[in-house]
Amino acid sequence: MSLEVISKIRSHGGTQGVYKHASSATGTDMEFSVFVPDHAAGATLPVVIYLSGLTCSQANVTEKGEYRAACAALGLIFVAPDTSPRGADVPDDAEGAYDFGLGAGFYVNATEAPFGQHYNMRDYIERELHALIGADFPADISRVAIMGHSMGGHGALTIALRNRDQYKSVSAFAPIVSPLNCPWGEKALSGYLGADRAAWRTYDACALIEDGARVADILVDQGTGDNFLETQLKPDLLAAACAAADQPVTLRMQEGYDHSYYFISTFMAEHLEWHAARLRV
């Protein structure tokens, strides 16, 4: 694939870049950011993929995530894709709502018109982005971790559970753990996939675990001051599904923290250290 370099800048002993390419999965141009720490010539580095939440693009974590110092110290490439296809021809929510359409791809392969043509973020993350990072950066794609926030936490959990051999570890900040059981998820999955709730289960972390999917372990941080905690995120559902299935999970309730990047950046280095330990295996 041909990459267009939008920007490159030195930071924390590495290079922070933003790139654009024509995506075969979405049929649109897609942007993503990559931080590459300084490294020996010819060396390859493990990769952490970060999936962002509703209304976000790669810019939010790139500017606010405070990951570069930790990635430089740990020798991790940090990749942040966009959250949806974009462009004049890409359909959006009919009423312009923030929780569906542009900026809200939910990391699914849509089947419902008019979204099926472009909203294929599952294929984009699982297949196309992997191939691109392996081809164009000094990445060891046999050592990849995935993490995310909110909608991106949902994406990270479900992608890892569906592709255990592709990801060494998975973590999340304030994830939507069960889209089948919250307003955000019900709106998104019905809009992208139709009314058959059985088709939604492959995009629900709790349902995937109930249906037999497993990963080595899961790390989740959730703020107790998050205003979406009770209505949208429901981490107790993940804890219950994991307990019933003997799926290891560490759920840390962080007192007073909200849903913002103040919360994410506070615990980002701990998550990266957790992933680094597993990526060295």
Side-chain angles (χ1 to χ4, degrees):
M1 303 177 191
S2 177
L3 282 184
E4 176 185 343
V5 178
I6 296 176
S7 65
K8 274 188 178 183
I9 192 164
R10 290 284 294 165
S11 180
H12 288 89
T15 301
Q16 177 66 65
V18 179
Y19 306 89
K20 181 165 70 173
H21 71 109
S23 168
S24 60
T26 67
T28 66
D29 286 345
M30 294 292 292
E31 293 186 6
F32 61 96
S33 72
V34 181
F35 176 74
V36 180
D38 292 345
H39 55 282
T44 57
L45 304 176
V47 177
V48 175
I49 296 173
Y50 177 94
L51 305 183
S52 295
L54 289 167
T55 75
C56 293
S57 71
Q58 75 284 346
N60 297 77
V61 70
T62 305
E63 296 169 4
K64 302 176 184 178
E66 299 184 22
Y67 56 83
R68 279 174 284 270
C71 285
L74 296 165
L76 299 173
I77 293 175
F78 191 94
V79 178
D82 203 346
T83 54
S84 77
R86 298 183 193 264
D89 297 330
V90 177
D92 196 5
D93 183 85
E95 298 178 356
Y98 74 93
D99 55 357
F100 188 77
L102 298 181
F106 261 81
Y107 304 101
V108 306
N109 281 349
T111 56
E112 293 294 294
F115 303 101
Q117 180 179 358
H118 296 298
Y119 283 81
N120 296 303
M121 291 301 294
R122 172 180 177 174
D123 280 351
Y124 181 73
I125 301 299
E126 292 180 359
R127 298 208 302 255
E128 189 170 13
L129 187 66
H130 265 255
L132 190 153
I133 296 301
D136 288 274
F137 298 90
D140 179 354
I141 57 171
S142 70
R143 294 187 293 158
V144 179
I146 192 164
M147 64 189 299
H149 169 233
S150 193
M151 179 186 72
H154 140 77
L157 291 171
T158 56
I159 288 169
L161 285 161
R162 290 194 304 263
N163 299 276
R164 178 170 182 168
D165 293 340
Q166 190 165 315
Y167 301 93
K168 296 289 188 184
S169 55
V170 58
S171 74
F173 300 105
I176 302 169
V177 304
S178 184
L180 280 86
N181 293 289
C182 73
W184 280 342
E186 290 177 354
K187 178 178 180 178
L189 297 186
S190 62
Y192 292 132
L193 304 176
D196 182 6
R197 292 175 68 90
W200 301 7
R201 293 184 69 83
T202 192
Y203 297 111
D204 184 295
C206 294
L208 283 165
I209 291 167
E210 290 168 2
D211 294 345
R214 298 290 184 272
V215 291
D217 53 6
I218 299 169
L219 173 63
V220 172
D221 274 318
Q222 172 65 61
T224 64
D226 191 322
N227 59 322
F228 301 116
L229 177 59
E230 301 297 332
T231 58
Q232 304 284 7
L233 307 177
K234 304 183 179 183
D236 55 307
L237 297 181
L238 179 65
C242 289
D246 293 324
Q247 164 63 57
V249 63
T250 299
L251 172 59
R252 308 191 303 186
M253 300 302 294
Q254 303 291 359
E255 185 65 31
Y257 284 90
D258 65 7
H259 201 68
S260 73
Y261 270 89
Y262 292 105
F263 160 59
I264 297 166
S265 63
T266 299
F267 300 101
M268 176 66 82
E270 293 181 22
H271 279 240
L272 293 170
E273 290 165 2
W274 188 86
H275 286 295
R278 288 150 180 80
L279 289 167
R280 293 191 187 102
V281 174

